[in-house]
Amino acid sequence: MSELEKAGPSAAGSTRPPRTWDFMQTLLVVLLAYGAFVLTGGFALRLLLAAYGGTKNLTPAEFQAVWEQGRWQASGIILGTPAAIAVLWVAVRMAGRDFADYLALNWPSRDEVVCGFGVMIILMTIDTFVTIKLGMVEPQTNSGILVGGSIGLFTLAIGICVGAPVFEEFVFRGFMFRGWSQSFLGPYGAVVLTAALWALNHTQYGWYDRSWLFAIGLVLGYFRLRANSTWLPVMLHSGMNTGVLFLGGPYV
């Protein structure tokens, strides 16, 4: 955590040059948060599988096959998210900062919410139109995802529409943006780099799909910067995923 962040808002106008160390510290904490997310989510998922699915000692290949099932993947996201947020909270508190302030957990205004959703709808419409014109498969299609009934579908909805947006936005547009905006990148550099890494992190998609995710990430970062609110990109991300969930399918 940077000394500028420790000093608080009164130091924001100081002439101290941004440091590369601010960038590296932020990246280290994010890697730790992702590690906590993967380990906790994976461990909890194995316990769930053993308790409810009757499976034990799965091989890595078998576990990967189970993970790709919608209900279990969503369960892993739901169970891993608190651990990742806990890592961010510890890092912020160790720096002597308030967690909600550092991650800009401020409620956006009604106009900002309306504007944000309007821009997202326009962008997603353009995405769909271009994808159809190019004859390419829509990147967010959820066709054939195995959920195993209504409870599984509900779990998928919570994981994709709530868990994933909170986890990803707290990490990328919350913690990472705040730390990197105080480094040599500056706010606009932080918007671009967090959008790029967020898109690259979606390894289940190809490069065409990730290019659209990069554009969406730029929009989310812009509204994070404009509204000084991480809750706004959480809402926009959740709205996008909810739309994809209801337009996708079939779920089996």
Side-chain angles (χ1 to χ4, degrees):
M1 215 71 59
S2 69
E3 291 299 324
L4 178 59
E5 294 297 337
K6 292 180 183 180
S10 62
S14 68
T15 59
R16 184 185 70 79
R19 299 178 305 171
T20 302
W21 183 236
D22 299 336
F23 178 92
M24 298 303 297
Q25 283 181 306
T26 299
L27 180 59
L28 175 60
V29 173
V30 168
L31 291 175
L32 291 174
Y34 257 90
F37 172 80
V38 172
L39 291 176
T40 304
F43 178 73
L45 182 54
R46 286 183 182 275
L47 291 179
L48 282 176
L49 288 171
Y52 297 101
T55 57
K56 297 181 180 179
N57 301 320
L58 294 176
T59 66
E62 290 171 336
F63 185 78
Q64 179 64 30
V66 171
W67 172 258
E68 292 174 357
Q69 298 179 18
R71 53 178 173 171
W72 297 120
Q73 184 176 141
S75 297
I77 293 172
I78 294 169
L79 296 170
T81 294
I85 294 177
V87 171
L88 301 182
W89 183 86
V90 169
V92 172
R93 295 304 300 157
M94 287 179 64
R97 295 301 307 274
D98 179 75
F99 183 73
D101 174 69
Y102 192 85
L103 266 67
L105 300 180
N106 310 309
W107 289 111
S109 68
R110 182 183 60 182
D111 290 345
E112 290 166 339
V113 172
V114 171
C115 181
F117 274 101
V119 171
M120 285 293 290
I121 290 172
I122 292 173
L123 181 60
M124 295 303 296
T125 302
I126 295 173
D127 175 9
T128 302
F129 177 80
V130 172
T131 300
I132 292 174
K133 283 295 183 180
L134 292 178
M136 303 181 72
V137 177
E138 180 64 25
Q140 293 89 0
T141 295
N142 291 329
S143 178
I145 287 183
L146 177 62
V147 297
S150 58
I151 295 178
L153 181 59
F154 177 76
T155 303
L156 176 65
I158 296 299
I160 298 303
C161 302
V162 179
V166 169
F167 166 63
E168 294 180 10
E169 296 309 320
F170 272 40
V171 170
F172 286 94
R173 257 66 65 171
F175 187 87
M176 191 179 289
F177 172 82
R178 184 63 180 266
W180 284 0
S181 66
Q182 303 294 341
S183 73
F184 59 87
L185 288 175
Y188 295 105
V191 168
V192 174
L193 189 54
T194 53
L197 292 178
W198 180 65
L200 291 173
N201 186 58
H202 288 77
T203 55
Q204 70 271 38
Y205 298 143
W207 289 108
Y208 172 80
D209 306 340
R210 292 190 215 177
S211 68
W212 280 107
L213 288 176
F214 173 66
I216 293 170
L218 291 177
V219 171
L220 295 174
Y222 166 76
F223 281 104
R224 159 65 179 88
L225 177 62
R226 169 177 169 170
N228 188 33
S229 170
T230 299
W231 282 124
L232 181 54
V234 168
M235 293 176 188
L236 300 180
H237 191 162
S238 178
M240 176 183 70
N241 285 8
T242 301
V244 170
L245 181 72
F246 280 98
L247 293 175
Y251 301 100
V252 295

